[in-house]
């Protein structure tokens, strides 16, 4: 059984120059998966809510440093040690942490 040993996030710019979150996850074999989540324009009732910094001095308020901090300080420590193939357990843990 594989285990998550590290997860970290950073702010990057998407293809439109808008800040977004990139997250990397490393398992005990040393393999690392990386994904980014560019913001869309969809505003349906089932869409995820964006967490923007709203600091007009940075990217017109569209920065995502708070979201990055949440990943690094709250979510990452909570999933270290979990089996990455158990996606439902990981999802449930993340949902319980953010209250959605």
């Amino acid at each position: 059984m594989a285990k998550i040993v590290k997860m970290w996030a950073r702010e990057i710019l998407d293809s439109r120059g808008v800040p977004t979150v990139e997250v990397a996850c490393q398992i005990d074999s040393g393999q690392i998966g990386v994904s980014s989540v560019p913001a869309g324009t969809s505003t349906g009732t089932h869409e995820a809510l964006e967490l923007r910094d709203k600091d007009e001095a940075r990217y017109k308020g569209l920065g995502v440093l708070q979201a990055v901090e949440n990943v690094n300080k709250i979510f990452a420590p909570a999933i270290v040690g979990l089996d990455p193939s158990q996606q439902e357990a990981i999802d449930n843990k993340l949902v319980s942490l953010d209250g959605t």
Side-chain angles (χ1 to χ4, degrees), residues 1-6 25-29 31 33 79-91:
M1 174 177 78
K3 291 196 185 249
I4 296 170
V5 295
K6 186 176 181 183
C25 185
Q26 182 177 6
I27 60 173
D28 54 0
S29 69
Q31 293 175 306
I79 69 161
V80 166
L82 297 182
D83 179 347
S85 70
Q86 300 299 311
Q87 191 62 57
E88 187 174 357
I90 293 170
D91 289 348

Side-chain angles (χ1 to χ4, degrees), residues 14-95:
D14 70 13
S15 62
R16 298 167 298 164
V18 177
T20 191
V21 178
E22 177 184 79
V23 177
C25 185
Q26 182 177 6
I27 60 173
D28 54 0
S29 69
Q31 293 175 306
I32 298 173
V34 180
S35 184
S36 61
V37 287
T41 57
S42 178
T43 57
T45 59
H46 299 289
E47 298 294 324
L49 297 176
E50 293 182 341
L51 177 60
R52 298 290 180 174
D53 296 337
K54 299 180 181 150
D55 176 359
E56 289 296 324
R58 291 188 71 251
Y59 299 111
K60 298 181 181 179
L62 296 177
V64 292
L65 294 179
Q66 183 61 57
V68 167
E69 183 175 338
N70 288 349
V71 171
N72 291 333
K73 293 187 177 176
I74 299 170
F75 300 126
I79 69 161
V80 166
L82 297 182
D83 179 347
S85 70
Q86 300 299 311
Q87 191 62 57
E88 187 174 357
I90 293 170
D91 289 348
N92 289 337
K93 179 60 131 178
L94 296 175
V95 166

